Amino acid sequence: NRGIVLYDTMWGSTQSMAKVIAEGILQGGGKVQLMPMGGSHRSDVATELLHAGALVAGSPTLNNNMFPTMADVLTYLKGLRRKNLIGAAFGSYGWGGEAIKQVREFLEGVDIEVIGEMRAKYVPDDSDLEDCFQLGVTIGKRLAENTR
């Protein structure tokens, strides 16, 4: 089982969080597939999700909402109804961080067990990135346990 780290980015902050979460997943013993929304078609994400054990989704907040391409792919994934998935929500924001809440609500709404959430205001600092790494480690350990 591997984790899919799905992310959108506006100024690079959510992307840097995604990369560190992916490093943590590897360190925790899991496998990972980084999927930036700028270069991943929603049907490719759905195909990857069919063989995944975790969906970790990140979005910056834009106009009090998640990024439009993230909303698009999550809407597309809604019909898959995968069972026994773990997940996490993450992202960067400037004001309220609504995107992270919306991603988490999506994950919970499709019965994904949310095991973490990470948010960073503006650009993630070293402490934020360490928290991202630890979230990844937690996910990686769960993925590794599920493959035994």
Side-chain angles (χ1 to χ4, degrees), residues 57-86:
S59 176
T61 297
L62 175 66
N63 296 326
N64 298 319
N65 287 289
M66 70 177 93
F67 224 62
T69 46
M70 181 61 68
D72 173 74
V73 76
L74 293 182
T75 299
Y76 188 78
L77 296 177
K78 201 170 205 170
L80 285 181
R81 292 290 187 193
R82 281 288 322 278
K83 299 293 180 200
N84 303 315
L85 281 175
I86 59 172

PDB file of all heavy atoms in Angstrom, residues 57-86:
ATOM      1  N   ALA A  57      -4.429  15.012   1.126  1.00  0.00           N
ATOM      2  CA  ALA A  57      -4.794  16.053   0.168  1.00  0.00           C
ATOM      3  C   ALA A  57      -4.525  17.438   0.740  1.00  0.00           C
ATOM      4  O   ALA A  57      -4.920  17.735   1.864  1.00  0.00           O
ATOM      5  CB  ALA A  57      -6.262  15.914  -0.225  1.00  0.00           C
ATOM      6  N   GLY A  58      -3.861  18.264  -0.074  1.00  0.00           N
ATOM      7  CA  GLY A  58      -3.520  19.607   0.368  1.00  0.00           C
ATOM      8  C   GLY A  58      -3.909  20.670  -0.627  1.00  0.00           C
ATOM      9  O   GLY A  58      -3.784  20.483  -1.838  1.00  0.00           O
ATOM     10  N   SER A  59      -4.381  21.780  -0.103  1.00  0.00           N
ATOM     11  CA  SER A  59      -4.803  22.885  -0.947  1.00  0.00           C
ATOM     12  C   SER A  59      -4.545  24.211  -0.250  1.00  0.00           C
ATOM     13  O   SER A  59      -4.801  24.341   0.945  1.00  0.00           O
ATOM     14  CB  SER A  59      -6.299  22.773  -1.257  1.00  0.00           C
ATOM     15  OG  SER A  59      -6.741  23.887  -2.008  1.00  0.00           O
ATOM     16  N   PRO A  60      -4.085  25.201  -1.001  1.00  0.00           N
ATOM     17  CA  PRO A  60      -4.082  26.546  -0.436  1.00  0.00           C
ATOM     18  C   PRO A  60      -5.523  27.063  -0.416  1.00  0.00           C
ATOM     19  O   PRO A  60      -6.387  26.524  -1.119  1.00  0.00           O
ATOM     20  CB  PRO A  60      -3.232  27.345  -1.434  1.00  0.00           C
ATOM     21  CG  PRO A  60      -3.327  26.598  -2.717  1.00  0.00           C
ATOM     22  CD  PRO A  60      -3.551  25.152  -2.368  1.00  0.00           C
ATOM     23  N   THR A  61      -5.761  28.062   0.398  1.00  0.00           N
ATOM     24  CA  THR A  61      -7.079  28.687   0.443  1.00  0.00           C
ATOM     25  C   THR A  61      -7.115  29.834  -0.559  1.00  0.00           C
ATOM     26  O   THR A  61      -6.223  30.680  -0.576  1.00  0.00           O
ATOM     27  CB  THR A  61      -7.394  29.195   1.863  1.00  0.00           C
ATOM     28  OG1 THR A  61      -7.428  28.077   2.749  1.00  0.00           O
ATOM     29  CG2 THR A  61      -8.728  29.911   1.919  1.00  0.00           C
ATOM     30  N   LEU A  62      -8.147  29.830  -1.389  1.00  0.00           N
ATOM     31  CA  LEU A  62      -8.343  30.879  -2.380  1.00  0.00           C
ATOM     32  C   LEU A  62      -9.782  31.361  -2.264  1.00  0.00           C
ATOM     33  O   LEU A  62     -10.715  30.572  -2.437  1.00  0.00           O
ATOM     34  CB  LEU A  62      -8.082  30.332  -3.794  1.00  0.00           C
ATOM     35  CG  LEU A  62      -8.357  31.277  -4.961  1.00  0.00           C
ATOM     36  CD1 LEU A  62      -7.385  32.458  -4.934  1.00  0.00           C
ATOM     37  CD2 LEU A  62      -8.250  30.528  -6.286  1.00  0.00           C
ATOM     38  N   ASN A  63      -9.961  32.618  -1.940  1.00  0.00           N
ATOM     39  CA  ASN A  63     -11.307  33.184  -1.790  1.00  0.00           C
ATOM     40  C   ASN A  63     -12.184  32.354  -0.849  1.00  0.00           C
ATOM     41  O   ASN A  63     -13.319  32.012  -1.163  1.00  0.00           O
ATOM     42  CB  ASN A  63     -11.989  33.347  -3.149  1.00  0.00           C
ATOM     43  CG  ASN A  63     -11.275  34.332  -4.045  1.00  0.00           C
ATOM     44  OD1 ASN A  63     -10.706  35.313  -3.551  1.00  0.00           O
ATOM     45  ND2 ASN A  63     -11.278  34.083  -5.334  1.00  0.00           N
ATOM     46  N   ASN A  64     -11.635  31.994   0.300  1.00  0.00           N
ATOM     47  CA  ASN A  64     -12.331  31.238   1.338  1.00  0.00           C
ATOM     48  C   ASN A  64     -12.705  29.814   0.932  1.00  0.00           C
ATOM     49  O   ASN A  64     -13.596  29.210   1.520  1.00  0.00           O
ATOM     50  CB  ASN A  64     -13.592  31.977   1.818  1.00  0.00           C
ATOM     51  CG  ASN A  64     -13.259  33.306   2.444  1.00  0.00           C
ATOM     52  OD1 ASN A  64     -12.285  33.425   3.188  1.00  0.00           O
ATOM     53  ND2 ASN A  64     -14.043  34.322   2.132  1.00  0.00           N
ATOM     54  N   ASN A  65     -12.054  29.267  -0.084  1.00  0.00           N
ATOM     55  CA  ASN A  65     -12.344  27.915  -0.556  1.00  0.00           C
ATOM     56  C   ASN A  65     -11.062  27.196  -0.946  1.00  0.00           C
ATOM     57  O   ASN A  65     -10.018  27.818  -1.110  1.00  0.00           O
ATOM     58  CB  ASN A  65     -13.258  27.963  -1.790  1.00  0.00           C
ATOM     59  CG  ASN A  65     -14.668  28.338  -1.425  1.00  0.00           C
ATOM     60  OD1 ASN A  65     -15.380  27.566  -0.818  1.00  0.00           O
ATOM     61  ND2 ASN A  65     -15.066  29.555  -1.783  1.00  0.00           N
ATOM     62  N   MET A  66     -11.198  25.867  -1.137  1.00  0.00           N
ATOM     63  CA  MET A  66     -10.061  25.127  -1.659  1.00  0.00           C
ATOM     64  C   MET A  66      -9.844  25.523  -3.119  1.00  0.00           C
ATOM     65  O   MET A  66     -10.742  26.060  -3.769  1.00  0.00           O
ATOM     66  CB  MET A  66     -10.247  23.625  -1.495  1.00  0.00           C
ATOM     67  CG  MET A  66     -11.302  22.986  -2.362  1.00  0.00           C
ATOM     68  SD  MET A  66     -11.377  21.185  -2.135  1.00  0.00           S
ATOM     69  CE  MET A  66     -12.650  21.059  -0.881  1.00  0.00           C
ATOM     70  N   PHE A  67      -8.660  25.259  -3.604  1.00  0.00           N
ATOM     71  CA  PHE A  67      -8.310  25.582  -4.980  1.00  0.00           C
ATOM     72  C   PHE A  67      -9.265  24.860  -5.929  1.00  0.00           C
ATOM     73  O   PHE A  67      -9.634  23.713  -5.683  1.00  0.00           O
ATOM     74  CB  PHE A  67      -6.862  25.134  -5.226  1.00  0.00           C
ATOM     75  CG  PHE A  67      -6.039  26.132  -5.968  1.00  0.00           C
ATOM     76  CD1 PHE A  67      -5.797  27.391  -5.450  1.00  0.00           C
ATOM     77  CD2 PHE A  67      -5.471  25.799  -7.185  1.00  0.00           C
ATOM     78  CE1 PHE A  67      -5.026  28.304  -6.128  1.00  0.00           C
ATOM     79  CE2 PHE A  67      -4.692  26.709  -7.873  1.00  0.00           C
ATOM     80  CZ  PHE A  67      -4.466  27.965  -7.349  1.00  0.00           C
ATOM     81  N   PRO A  68      -9.701  25.490  -7.016  1.00  0.00           N
ATOM     82  CA  PRO A  68     -10.690  24.871  -7.909  1.00  0.00           C
ATOM     83  C   PRO A  68     -10.288  23.507  -8.464  1.00  0.00           C
ATOM     84  O   PRO A  68     -11.130  22.615  -8.572  1.00  0.00           O
ATOM     85  CB  PRO A  68     -10.837  25.895  -9.041  1.00  0.00           C
ATOM     86  CG  PRO A  68     -10.453  27.196  -8.424  1.00  0.00           C
ATOM     87  CD  PRO A  68      -9.383  26.858  -7.414  1.00  0.00           C
ATOM     88  N   THR A  69      -9.018  23.310  -8.797  1.00  0.00           N
ATOM     89  CA  THR A  69      -8.616  22.002  -9.327  1.00  0.00           C
ATOM     90  C   THR A  69      -8.677  20.915  -8.264  1.00  0.00           C
ATOM     91  O   THR A  69      -8.962  19.757  -8.575  1.00  0.00           O
ATOM     92  CB  THR A  69      -7.215  22.060  -9.964  1.00  0.00           C
ATOM     93  OG1 THR A  69      -6.339  22.770  -9.090  1.00  0.00           O
ATOM     94  CG2 THR A  69      -7.243  22.741 -11.318  1.00  0.00           C
ATOM     95  N   MET A  70      -8.445  21.264  -7.003  1.00  0.00           N
ATOM     96  CA  MET A  70      -8.580  20.279  -5.921  1.00  0.00           C
ATOM     97  C   MET A  70     -10.052  19.930  -5.729  1.00  0.00           C
ATOM     98  O   MET A  70     -10.408  18.758  -5.577  1.00  0.00           O
ATOM     99  CB  MET A  70      -7.981  20.820  -4.615  1.00  0.00           C
ATOM    100  CG  MET A  70      -8.070  19.835  -3.461  1.00  0.00           C
ATOM    101  SD  MET A  70      -7.196  18.263  -3.717  1.00  0.00           S
ATOM    102  CE  MET A  70      -5.498  18.819  -3.708  1.00  0.00           C
ATOM    103  N   ALA A  71     -10.912  20.937  -5.745  1.00  0.00           N
ATOM    104  CA  ALA A  71     -12.351  20.677  -5.621  1.00  0.00           C
ATOM    105  C   ALA A  71     -12.828  19.775  -6.751  1.00  0.00           C
ATOM    106  O   ALA A  71     -13.623  18.853  -6.538  1.00  0.00           O
ATOM    107  CB  ALA A  71     -13.125  21.995  -5.622  1.00  0.00           C
ATOM    108  N   ASP A  72     -12.310  20.002  -7.946  1.00  0.00           N
ATOM    109  CA  ASP A  72     -12.672  19.189  -9.105  1.00  0.00           C
ATOM    110  C   ASP A  72     -12.290  17.726  -8.898  1.00  0.00           C
ATOM    111  O   ASP A  72     -13.111  16.829  -9.073  1.00  0.00           O
ATOM    112  CB  ASP A  72     -11.980  19.748 -10.350  1.00  0.00           C
ATOM    113  CG  ASP A  72     -12.166  18.860 -11.565  1.00  0.00           C
ATOM    114  OD1 ASP A  72     -13.276  18.847 -12.127  1.00  0.00           O
ATOM    115  OD2 ASP A  72     -11.198  18.168 -11.955  1.00  0.00           O
ATOM    116  N   VAL A  73     -11.060  17.471  -8.516  1.00  0.00           N
ATOM    117  CA  VAL A  73     -10.614  16.077  -8.387  1.00  0.00           C
ATOM    118  C   VAL A  73     -11.301  15.386  -7.209  1.00  0.00           C
ATOM    119  O   VAL A  73     -11.668  14.213  -7.307  1.00  0.00           O
ATOM    120  CB  VAL A  73      -9.080  15.962  -8.314  1.00  0.00           C
ATOM    121  CG1 VAL A  73      -8.532  16.353  -6.956  1.00  0.00           C
ATOM    122  CG2 VAL A  73      -8.628  14.553  -8.668  1.00  0.00           C
ATOM    123  N   LEU A  74     -11.522  16.087  -6.116  1.00  0.00           N
ATOM    124  CA  LEU A  74     -12.204  15.461  -4.979  1.00  0.00           C
ATOM    125  C   LEU A  74     -13.645  15.119  -5.335  1.00  0.00           C
ATOM    126  O   LEU A  74     -14.149  14.059  -4.959  1.00  0.00           O
ATOM    127  CB  LEU A  74     -12.127  16.360  -3.738  1.00  0.00           C
ATOM    128  CG  LEU A  74     -10.732  16.552  -3.144  1.00  0.00           C
ATOM    129  CD1 LEU A  74     -10.805  17.421  -1.900  1.00  0.00           C
ATOM    130  CD2 LEU A  74     -10.034  15.230  -2.849  1.00  0.00           C
ATOM    131  N   THR A  75     -14.294  15.999  -6.088  1.00  0.00           N
ATOM    132  CA  THR A  75     -15.656  15.701  -6.551  1.00  0.00           C
ATOM    133  C   THR A  75     -15.648  14.451  -7.426  1.00  0.00           C
ATOM    134  O   THR A  75     -16.504  13.572  -7.309  1.00  0.00           O
ATOM    135  CB  THR A  75     -16.238  16.901  -7.330  1.00  0.00           C
ATOM    136  OG1 THR A  75     -16.292  18.015  -6.433  1.00  0.00           O
ATOM    137  CG2 THR A  75     -17.625  16.602  -7.864  1.00  0.00           C
ATOM    138  N   TYR A  76     -14.658  14.336  -8.279  1.00  0.00           N
ATOM    139  CA  TYR A  76     -14.522  13.176  -9.165  1.00  0.00           C
ATOM    140  C   TYR A  76     -14.288  11.887  -8.365  1.00  0.00           C
ATOM    141  O   TYR A  76     -14.815  10.831  -8.698  1.00  0.00           O
ATOM    142  CB  TYR A  76     -13.358  13.435 -10.127  1.00  0.00           C
ATOM    143  CG  TYR A  76     -13.207  12.416 -11.223  1.00  0.00           C
ATOM    144  CD1 TYR A  76     -14.044  12.436 -12.339  1.00  0.00           C
ATOM    145  CD2 TYR A  76     -12.205  11.450 -11.168  1.00  0.00           C
ATOM    146  CE1 TYR A  76     -13.895  11.519 -13.365  1.00  0.00           C
ATOM    147  CE2 TYR A  76     -12.048  10.530 -12.195  1.00  0.00           C
ATOM    148  CZ  TYR A  76     -12.892  10.567 -13.287  1.00  0.00           C
ATOM    149  OH  TYR A  76     -12.745   9.652 -14.295  1.00  0.00           O
ATOM    150  N   LEU A  77     -13.493  11.994  -7.286  1.00  0.00           N
ATOM    151  CA  LEU A  77     -13.162  10.818  -6.469  1.00  0.00           C
ATOM    152  C   LEU A  77     -14.307  10.370  -5.575  1.00  0.00           C
ATOM    153  O   LEU A  77     -14.310   9.235  -5.093  1.00  0.00           O
ATOM    154  CB  LEU A  77     -11.936  11.113  -5.591  1.00  0.00           C
ATOM    155  CG  LEU A  77     -10.625  11.393  -6.305  1.00  0.00           C
ATOM    156  CD1 LEU A  77      -9.553  11.744  -5.287  1.00  0.00           C
ATOM    157  CD2 LEU A  77     -10.203  10.211  -7.166  1.00  0.00           C
ATOM    158  N   LYS A  78     -15.261  11.247  -5.357  1.00  0.00           N
ATOM    159  CA  LYS A  78     -16.344  10.971  -4.421  1.00  0.00           C
ATOM    160  C   LYS A  78     -17.067   9.656  -4.724  1.00  0.00           C
ATOM    161  O   LYS A  78     -17.439   8.918  -3.824  1.00  0.00           O
ATOM    162  CB  LYS A  78     -17.345  12.121  -4.431  1.00  0.00           C
ATOM    163  CG  LYS A  78     -18.201  12.193  -3.216  1.00  0.00           C
ATOM    164  CD  LYS A  78     -18.984  13.498  -3.212  1.00  0.00           C
ATOM    165  CE  LYS A  78     -19.340  13.837  -1.794  1.00  0.00           C
ATOM    166  NZ  LYS A  78     -19.880  15.165  -1.666  1.00  0.00           N
ATOM    167  N   GLY A  79     -17.245   9.336  -5.992  1.00  0.00           N
ATOM    168  CA  GLY A  79     -17.973   8.137  -6.368  1.00  0.00           C
ATOM    169  C   GLY A  79     -17.216   6.839  -6.183  1.00  0.00           C
ATOM    170  O   GLY A  79     -17.812   5.766  -6.245  1.00  0.00           O
ATOM    171  N   LEU A  80     -15.902   6.900  -5.917  1.00  0.00           N
ATOM    172  CA  LEU A  80     -15.120   5.661  -5.773  1.00  0.00           C
ATOM    173  C   LEU A  80     -15.492   4.876  -4.517  1.00  0.00           C
ATOM    174  O   LEU A  80     -15.457   3.657  -4.518  1.00  0.00           O
ATOM    175  CB  LEU A  80     -13.621   5.960  -5.752  1.00  0.00           C
ATOM    176  CG  LEU A  80     -12.985   6.307  -7.076  1.00  0.00           C
ATOM    177  CD1 LEU A  80     -11.492   6.538  -6.888  1.00  0.00           C
ATOM    178  CD2 LEU A  80     -13.216   5.225  -8.116  1.00  0.00           C
ATOM    179  N   ARG A  81     -15.776   5.585  -3.453  1.00  0.00           N
ATOM    180  CA  ARG A  81     -16.164   4.960  -2.180  1.00  0.00           C
ATOM    181  C   ARG A  81     -15.211   3.858  -1.751  1.00  0.00           C
ATOM    182  O   ARG A  81     -15.621   2.757  -1.397  1.00  0.00           O
ATOM    183  CB  ARG A  81     -17.594   4.415  -2.256  1.00  0.00           C
ATOM    184  CG  ARG A  81     -18.636   5.481  -2.364  1.00  0.00           C
ATOM    185  CD  ARG A  81     -18.724   6.212  -1.076  1.00  0.00           C
ATOM    186  NE  ARG A  81     -19.847   7.141  -1.101  1.00  0.00           N
ATOM    187  CZ  ARG A  81     -20.004   8.088  -0.205  1.00  0.00           C
ATOM    188  NH1 ARG A  81     -19.138   8.213   0.754  1.00  0.00           N
ATOM    189  NH2 ARG A  81     -21.024   8.888  -0.279  1.00  0.00           N
ATOM    190  N   ARG A  82     -13.906   4.161  -1.794  1.00  0.00           N
ATOM    191  CA  ARG A  82     -12.905   3.212  -1.330  1.00  0.00           C
ATOM    192  C   ARG A  82     -13.073   2.954   0.160  1.00  0.00           C
ATOM    193  O   ARG A  82     -13.404   3.846   0.919  1.00  0.00           O
ATOM    194  CB  ARG A  82     -11.499   3.780  -1.573  1.00  0.00           C
ATOM    195  CG  ARG A  82     -10.980   3.665  -2.973  1.00  0.00           C
ATOM    196  CD  ARG A  82     -10.603   2.252  -3.364  1.00  0.00           C
ATOM    197  NE  ARG A  82      -9.992   1.489  -2.305  1.00  0.00           N
ATOM    198  CZ  ARG A  82      -8.709   1.546  -1.958  1.00  0.00           C
ATOM    199  NH1 ARG A  82      -7.875   2.317  -2.613  1.00  0.00           N
ATOM    200  NH2 ARG A  82      -8.243   0.818  -0.967  1.00  0.00           N
ATOM    201  N   LYS A  83     -12.824   1.759   0.591  1.00  0.00           N
ATOM    202  CA  LYS A  83     -12.923   1.392   2.003  1.00  0.00           C
ATOM    203  C   LYS A  83     -11.523   1.265   2.601  1.00  0.00           C
ATOM    204  O   LYS A  83     -10.548   1.021   1.895  1.00  0.00           O
ATOM    205  CB  LYS A  83     -13.667   0.066   2.164  1.00  0.00           C
ATOM    206  CG  LYS A  83     -15.094   0.094   1.642  1.00  0.00           C
ATOM    207  CD  LYS A  83     -15.958   1.004   2.470  1.00  0.00           C
ATOM    208  CE  LYS A  83     -17.373   1.036   1.945  1.00  0.00           C
ATOM    209  NZ  LYS A  83     -18.094   2.191   2.386  1.00  0.00           N
ATOM    210  N   ASN A  84     -11.450   1.394   3.900  1.00  0.00           N
ATOM    211  CA  ASN A  84     -10.219   1.190   4.668  1.00  0.00           C
ATOM    212  C   ASN A  84      -9.069   2.109   4.272  1.00  0.00           C
ATOM    213  O   ASN A  84      -7.917   1.711   4.286  1.00  0.00           O
ATOM    214  CB  ASN A  84      -9.768  -0.277   4.578  1.00  0.00           C
ATOM    215  CG  ASN A  84     -10.850  -1.215   5.049  1.00  0.00           C
ATOM    216  OD1 ASN A  84     -11.480  -0.983   6.074  1.00  0.00           O
ATOM    217  ND2 ASN A  84     -11.080  -2.264   4.287  1.00  0.00           N
ATOM    218  N   LEU A  85      -9.390   3.334   3.931  1.00  0.00           N
ATOM    219  CA  LEU A  85      -8.359   4.317   3.637  1.00  0.00           C
ATOM    220  C   LEU A  85      -8.122   5.202   4.849  1.00  0.00           C
ATOM    221  O   LEU A  85      -9.051   5.514   5.593  1.00  0.00           O
ATOM    222  CB  LEU A  85      -8.782   5.227   2.480  1.00  0.00           C
ATOM    223  CG  LEU A  85      -8.664   4.714   1.065  1.00  0.00           C
ATOM    224  CD1 LEU A  85      -9.243   5.736   0.090  1.00  0.00           C
ATOM    225  CD2 LEU A  85      -7.231   4.405   0.707  1.00  0.00           C
ATOM    226  N   ILE A  86      -6.880   5.589   5.022  1.00  0.00           N
ATOM    227  CA  ILE A  86      -6.554   6.632   5.991  1.00  0.00           C
ATOM    228  C   ILE A  86      -6.265   7.898   5.188  1.00  0.00           C
ATOM    229  O   ILE A  86      -6.023   7.833   3.984  1.00  0.00           O
ATOM    230  CB  ILE A  86      -5.360   6.250   6.892  1.00  0.00           C
ATOM    231  CG1 ILE A  86      -4.103   5.969   6.054  1.00  0.00           C
ATOM    232  CG2 ILE A  86      -5.724   5.056   7.774  1.00  0.00           C
ATOM    233  CD1 ILE A  86      -2.841   5.772   6.881  1.00  0.00           C
TER     234      ILE A  86
END
